Amino acid sequence: MKTEYCLPFNFVSFIDIIYKMRKSVLIFLSVLIPISFCFAQQPDQLLRQWAEKNSIEKVWLHLDRDNYLAGETAWFKAYLYADYQPDTISTTLYVELLNNKGFLIDRKVLPILDGRTFGQFELNDSLSTDNYLIRAYSPTMLNGAPGQDSAYIFQKNIFVLGKNTKTQTFKKITDFSRIEFFPESGNFVNGIMNTIAFKATDEEGKPIAINGLVKNDKDEIVAEFASVHDGMGMFDITPISGVKYYAIIKDDARAKEFPLPSVADEGVVLRILQSGKNKFYEIEQRSNQEIRRAAYIVGQMQNHIVFKNNFSTEQNKTVINGPLDVSHLASGILQVTVFNKDNIPLAERLCFVNNGEYKIKADIEPDTLSFKERSRNVLRVAFKDTVVGSFSMSVVDPAYGNYAPRSENIYSSLLLTSDLHGYIHNPAYYFLNDDDSTQANLDLVMMTNGWRRFKWTELSKGISALPAINDPGYIRVAGKVNIMYLKKMFVSKPFLVFINTQDHNKSMRMGLTDAQGNFQLDSLMFFGNALMSFKDIRGKKSSKLEVKLSADTLTRNFSLPKFSQELKAIGWQPSTESKIKLEDDLDAINKAKGIMLNNVTVKVKKKSAEELLDEKYSKGMFSGFAERTIDLVHTDEPIFQSNIFDYLQGRVPGLNISNDGPEYSIHYRQAATTSSMGLIPMILYLDEVQTDVSFISAIPANDIAMVKVFSNFVGAEGNGAGGVLAIYTKKGEDALNSITTKDRIRYQGYSVIKEFYAPDYKVNQQTDLNVDNRITLLWKPDIQVRGINSIITIPFYNNDRSKQFKVVLEGLTVDGKMLMLEKIFDKKE
């Protein structure tokens, strides 16, 4: 990879450009109209106006693990954050899974309630071994500020072990590939001591340690430097106007020279000094021109001005300094900017405020700890003070992942990386300790990464503009209603909508068309496929209705930032030991499924249409063997029945279907009994989600692709003692032949949220006779806490092999405080 160096934004050059443009405009227009310069309005006023329309929104995803086997489920909970509180701006979150080329594999659309939501990705067992990207955003997060080329969205790598599991060999990288130099305040000014921060990375974008020399154009050494943390460091230098400076790296056989920024004759240097929790600013200026001298200094956090100091009596001083009282501020990134009298920025510096007020006091300890096979464990979480919030917990076996603390957590994401450009290596490190060394290293991050939220110089352009994307307020269904057969619009009339959803819910909504027959239903919330029946409610005057929907508010596409090649290159990898264990697990799973290893050629019988259909529609425990599989796609028989139950009557031996009007009873291979419990009804699944019989009965039989009959089913309650009926609706090309009435539409609601399955060995030690090799032992995404000094207990069962538990507990309170606990509990010898 080509070696690069990067230079920062130069405020001095920017000022020259601005004033040259201003002078030209004044000459051209001075005889016509008075000029109002674009920065005449105070920057703090512009920022307040912008913030009133655009709040900063962030999202953090707590995942149960960082690595998975193909065919497993990746569980996550999302926490949304705005203005130091749970985000109440957005109502819908998009969570997407992409491969390492940036192609979309899966997408979940989830409702946000009180700043949180949760869901899962079912990782297809056909995925190849690689890093995959998860990204998450709400539509309103995409309203970037003027001058910014992209908005902030959450991105995280996960590792999936699947096909092509041959161990990859990685080249050991010991050489730097990129060096970036950053004058502390953006200016490299003649005759003033300048602090230059630097960052060195290898060809994968990971930090690498370096040390080197700074020389002038006479080949004289003027400074030495060495990285102190993650390839970052800094050095001081007093440059001379007209002299060029460059850096060389010691022991670099190439003797490559890396030029430093050009020296400005005049300008302002801003320094931020730290002493424990206290901060001070120091401005040193070298200019006789008023336009290049500091008039005031402003500090902002999260689009809110937190201080402003005017230098009306100090403008002519060479050095201006003073304290920065940050003790009353919320924690996060503080952007400090020096302006001249014309409100043009002269110098800028980022620093981090860490007052610790964001942390909840809590601890987690085992109440019952046992590493025996399938033994019961209980974790005890004790909160201090008053806590009202929502939390999520994962318990995993660290031997199949990572023993080290996660490199990113809720603290580092919401307070640090969400506001910075580029890749930050191991950001969670900066929140592990609060000592001077850690804070000094964090200050290097502030000096070597740019602010991403807005540019002062572009802010005025966005004040009058409304946000490009608005939140629809959950599901919004809109369209046009006509009177069936008459081709007349159903204008200015009321109608009733019956909504039957996949999660057993039924509801009704009243609507009213306008003068063109258009309608809009707002604030709907339902999951999976929904059947919406539109009815005219005018009594004897009622007509059959024909409905045509307009654009969908849920499945729309957005213009997103380009796929992060930098993040792709820095993909997470499990340790060699963990990867070998994962490969063994995957081999065992594949052998159990009858899948052959790579590079083994066998002759196989060509699969039937029914087998191919089963592979297309069913996944996981639903795939493969069933007592009976009915294919409704590859049949020449006309399918006219009103629902699948009418179609199945008399077709499957032992399947008894009876109905009393719209209510159906379905039983499988059960004789009459005198038991008080009576017959056990079959458990019904629609598209592998347990669904109410009344919902399925509203779907025409011609919309069904396949039906599978199971006499029992390990994934169902009570092992499906009464039998399980798995019904699959047509999708893709198979759906083209479906026939539906024009007054009834099918609408895809929010993604179905599944429940994490964990065996309860207390009820039945023989629940599953197979080996229990679960890596995620517990995923509990919706722990609600409300009270003073609350104590909660969380039980879970071990698998057949784990000797350690890694527990992560994260969450957010209603007043914006965060919890992050991460512990490993070992087997005590």
Side-chain angles (χ1 to χ4, degrees):
M1 184 179 288
K2 182 180 178 181
T3 302
E4 300 177 351
Y5 63 92
C6 180
L7 303 180
F9 180 82
N10 190 305
F11 283 98
V12 175
S13 300
F14 170 74
I15 295 167
D16 289 335
I17 294 171
I18 287 294
Y19 277 95
K20 286 178 182 178
M21 292 173 58
R22 183 183 185 187
K23 184 176 180 181
S24 299
V25 172
L26 285 170
I27 292 172
F28 183 72
L29 295 176
S30 59
V31 298
L32 299 177
I33 55 174
I35 298 299
S36 176
F37 190 58
C38 65
F39 293 112
Q41 193 172 3
Q42 293 283 327
D44 53 324
Q45 295 174 355
L46 292 174
L47 183 58
R48 288 191 186 98
Q49 293 174 35
W50 169 258
E52 286 175 359
K53 298 178 182 178
N54 300 273
S55 293
I56 292 177
E57 296 179 82
K58 307 176 182 181
V59 59
W60 162 250
L61 259 60
H62 173 196
L63 279 79
D64 64 318
R65 310 206 311 263
D66 289 323
N67 64 287
Y68 300 90
L69 298 175
E72 287 189 312
T73 299
W75 304 91
F76 60 83
K77 180 172 183 180
Y79 296 93
L80 286 91
Y81 192 65
D83 287 334
Y84 303 101
Q85 302 288 329
D87 183 2
T88 57
I89 300 166
S90 295
T91 60
T92 299
L93 184 72
Y94 294 82
V95 187
E96 298 172 340
L97 178 68
L98 298 89
N99 66 15
N100 69 350
K101 294 181 180 179
F103 294 117
L104 184 67
I105 296 174
D106 199 1
R107 188 192 212 195
K108 301 296 180 181
V109 187
L110 300 163
I112 301 168
L113 297 170
D114 298 327
R116 64 185 187 272
T117 188
F118 50 89
Q120 71 288 320
F121 284 113
E122 295 86 6
L123 303 173
N124 197 294
D125 56 13
S126 64
L127 291 180
S128 298
T129 298
D130 212 334
N131 284 292
Y132 292 81
L133 181 72
I134 291 179
R135 67 184 180 193
Y137 57 91
S138 72
T140 51
M141 286 180 186
L142 305 179
N143 289 319
Q148 298 298 79
D149 57 1
S150 64
Y152 170 73
I153 64 175
F154 172 87
Q155 296 184 109
K156 178 180 175 60
N157 268 319
I158 63 170
F159 176 78
V160 176
L161 188 76
K163 289 185 175 180
N164 306 319
T165 59
K166 183 178 180 181
T167 303
Q168 297 174 326
T169 57
F170 296 94
K171 180 175 65 176
K172 185 178 181 181
I173 298 173
T174 59
D175 203 3
F176 60 91
S177 177
R178 180 181 174 89
I179 303 175
E180 301 170 274
F181 296 100
F182 304 87
E184 182 172 10
S185 57
N187 303 322
F188 194 33
V189 183
N190 166 54
I192 298 176
M193 187 185 73
N194 291 252
T195 297
I196 308 293
F198 64 87
K199 179 167 64 174
T201 53
D202 62 26
E203 63 185 43
E204 289 188 341
K206 296 178 181 178
I208 192 166
I210 62 167
N211 59 80
L213 305 171
V214 177
K215 295 185 176 183
N216 59 23
D217 49 15
K218 296 180 181 178
D219 202 33
E220 298 170 333
I221 298 175
V222 295
E224 295 190 27
F225 62 88
S227 56
V228 295
H229 177 73
D230 280 349
M232 299 179 294
M234 60 184 178
F235 57 89
D236 292 330
I237 180 174
T238 303
I240 300 172
S241 181
V243 177
K244 295 182 178 180
Y245 298 89
Y246 64 92
I248 61 171
I249 308 303
K250 293 180 180 180
D251 302 322
D252 178 18
R254 300 168 298 177
K256 177 72 175 180
E257 296 179 359
F258 302 94
L260 267 64
S262 299
V263 180
D265 293 334
E266 299 178 322
V268 171
V269 170
L270 168 65
R271 305 184 186 96
I272 300 294
L273 310 173
Q274 289 192 185
S275 177
K277 291 286 187 182
N278 301 315
K279 297 183 188 295
F280 305 87
Y281 68 85
E282 183 176 83
I283 300 169
E284 191 168 352
Q285 47 194 357
R286 185 183 180 89
S287 178
N288 294 321
Q289 300 182 50
E290 191 176 12
I291 63 171
R292 300 183 187 278
R293 301 187 71 83
Y296 61 94
I297 187 171
V298 167
Q300 76 85 22
M301 300 179 76
Q302 302 300 294
N303 287 358
H304 298 287
I305 300 297
V306 294
F307 73 83
K308 180 179 180 181
N309 293 341
N310 291 299
F311 304 140
S312 55
T313 61
E314 301 175 287
Q315 277 188 328
N316 296 322
K317 290 184 178 181
T318 302
V319 177
I320 304 172
N321 51 37
L324 287 179
D325 182 9
V326 299
S327 61
H328 64 288
L329 299 179
S331 297
I333 295 176
L334 171 65
Q335 180 188 21
V336 182
T337 309
V338 177
F339 292 88
N340 71 3
K341 66 180 184 63
D342 292 325
N343 306 315
I344 295 177
L346 302 179
E348 189 168 276
R349 173 75 147 82
L350 301 182
C351 57
F352 193 85
V353 176
N354 191 354
N355 287 323
E357 85 296 337
Y358 56 89
K359 293 183 178 180
I360 300 172
K361 295 180 180 179
D363 196 13
I364 183 168
E365 292 293 341
D367 189 59
T368 302
L369 186 65
S370 173
F371 294 95
K372 294 180 180 179
E373 294 180 5
R374 307 188 183 191
S375 57
R376 188 173 188 267
N377 291 266
V378 179
L379 298 175
R380 181 178 183 271
V381 184
F383 294 86
K384 296 183 179 179
D385 304 322
T386 301
V387 174
V388 179
S390 179
F391 306 89
S392 51
M393 177 185 285
S394 61
V395 180
V396 304
D397 185 342
Y400 291 80
N402 198 346
Y403 287 95
R406 296 168 302 157
S407 61
E408 182 94 271
N409 58 41
I410 193 170
Y411 297 157
S412 61
S413 177
L414 297 183
L415 297 179
L416 179 64
T417 58
S418 57
D419 289 320
L420 295 177
H421 274 298
Y423 170 73
I424 312 297
H425 186 71
N426 193 19
Y429 154 81
Y430 303 104
F431 296 85
L432 293 176
N433 297 295
D434 195 25
D435 54 41
D436 291 344
S437 175
T438 303
Q439 295 309 304
N441 292 335
L442 178 54
D443 202 45
L444 287 173
V445 175
M446 298 294 98
M447 296 173 68
T448 56
N449 290 271
W451 175 255
R452 69 158 63 194
R453 290 296 179 179
F454 67 84
K455 295 180 181 177
W456 289 109
T457 54
E458 301 286 337
L459 200 54
S460 61
K461 298 179 182 179
I463 298 304
S464 59
L466 294 173
I469 303 174
N470 294 305
D471 185 86
Y474 299 108
I475 297 173
R476 177 186 298 163
V477 177
K480 187 181 240 359
V481 182
N482 292 323
I483 299 175
M484 197 178 296
Y485 309 121
L486 299 182
K487 296 184 179 180
K488 291 178 59 178
M489 293 184 295
F490 188 70
V491 299
S492 303
K493 294 181 178 65
F495 61 89
L496 186 64
V497 182
F498 295 90
I499 305 174
N500 292 318
T501 64
Q502 214 169 336
D503 56 350
H504 306 181
N505 287 324
K506 298 178 182 180
S507 62
M508 294 184 297
R509 285 288 296 268
M510 289 289 296
L512 182 68
T513 58
D514 63 14
Q516 285 76 43
N518 298 311
F519 74 92
Q520 181 172 297
L521 302 173
D522 295 312
S523 303
L524 301 174
M525 186 188 298
F526 48 83
F527 297 84
N529 285 319
L531 290 174
M532 306 180 71
S533 300
F534 289 73
K535 304 296 180 184
D536 186 353
I537 55 174
R538 295 178 298 153
K540 293 181 179 180
K541 295 182 180 180
S542 295
S543 303
K544 290 280 286 183
L545 303 180
E546 179 178 344
V547 180
K548 184 176 181 180
L549 293 185
S550 57
D552 192 342
T553 60
L554 281 190
T555 59
R556 56 182 173 160
N557 294 317
F558 302 93
S559 177
L560 295 171
K562 293 181 180 179
F563 178 68
S564 174
Q565 294 295 328
E566 183 181 46
L567 188 61
K568 167 188 170 183
I570 310 173
W572 186 87
Q573 288 277 343
S575 66
T576 301
E577 182 181 357
S578 294
K579 194 171 182 181
I580 291 172
K581 290 182 177 181
L582 289 170
E583 289 174 351
D584 290 343
D585 265 17
L586 187 63
D587 285 344
I589 293 170
N590 287 342
K591 288 175 182 177
K593 291 182 177 180
I595 300 175
M596 301 301 295
L597 299 177
N598 292 329
N599 302 321
V600 178
T601 303
V602 295
K603 294 182 179 181
V604 296
K605 179 183 176 182
K606 184 178 179 180
K607 294 181 179 178
S608 66
E610 182 180 297
E611 290 172 327
L612 292 173
L613 188 70
D614 185 62
E615 288 184 0
K616 180 178 181 179
Y617 281 90
S618 63
K619 299 189 297 290
M621 293 183 291
F622 289 90
S623 62
F625 174 78
E627 267 71 28
R628 184 72 182 271
T629 299
I630 298 98
D631 179 355
L632 284 80
V633 173
H634 306 100
T635 178
D636 296 328
E637 177 188 358
I639 301 175
F640 55 85
Q641 289 82 359
S642 61
N643 59 55
I644 191 62
F645 303 124
D646 289 347
Y647 175 84
L648 290 175
Q649 289 191 26
R651 293 176 183 269
V652 179
L655 183 65
N656 297 310
I657 300 175
S658 59
N659 67 297
D660 181 9
E663 299 297 326
Y664 285 80
S665 299
I666 300 98
H667 301 87
Y668 186 56
R669 289 181 177 172
Q670 295 183 54
T673 176
T674 58
S675 169
S676 60
M677 296 182 65
L679 298 176
I680 302 174
M682 295 188 80
I683 297 175
L684 307 180
Y685 287 85
L686 182 66
D687 296 328
E688 300 183 357
V689 177
Q690 189 171 339
T691 306
D692 184 73
V693 64
S694 60
F695 177 88
I696 299 174
S697 67
I699 302 174
N702 198 46
D703 286 352
I704 304 301
M706 180 177 68
V707 178
K708 300 187 75 172
V709 181
F710 300 90
S711 59
N712 56 69
F713 193 73
V714 69
E717 182 180 356
N719 286 340
V724 163
L725 200 63
I727 301 164
Y728 296 84
T729 56
K730 291 178 179 176
K731 59 185 180 181
E733 294 181 358
D734 296 340
L736 294 179
N737 295 323
S738 295
I739 300 174
T740 57
T741 58
K742 294 181 179 180
D743 64 343
R744 186 175 61 187
I745 60 173
R746 182 179 296 165
Y747 191 95
Q748 181 62 46
Y750 285 113
S751 302
V752 173
I753 300 173
K754 295 187 177 181
E755 184 176 354
F756 176 80
Y757 171 75
D760 185 355
Y761 290 125
K762 182 179 180 181
V763 174
N764 185 0
Q765 284 287 339
Q766 303 301 319
T767 296
D768 189 351
L769 297 179
N770 296 324
V771 175
D772 182 354
N773 283 341
R774 290 171 297 128
I775 299 175
T776 298
L777 302 172
L778 176 72
W779 171 249
K780 202 167 182 65
D782 201 23
I783 302 172
Q784 302 299 317
V785 176
R786 179 184 294 271
I788 302 174
N789 298 326
S790 299
I791 296 176
I792 60 173
T793 55
I794 309 291
F796 68 94
Y797 285 90
N798 192 15
N799 55 28
D800 291 339
R801 64 185 182 188
S802 292
K803 303 303 178 185
Q804 293 173 309
F805 302 141
K806 183 175 184 178
V807 181
V808 174
L809 179 63
E810 289 190 315
L812 198 60
T813 65
V814 294
D815 58 353
K817 291 187 178 182
M818 308 174 202
L819 175 65
M820 201 293 295
L821 293 173
E822 189 168 341
K823 286 188 174 184
I824 291 180
F825 298 108
D826 296 301
K827 182 179 181 181
K828 295 181 180 179
E829 300 297 336

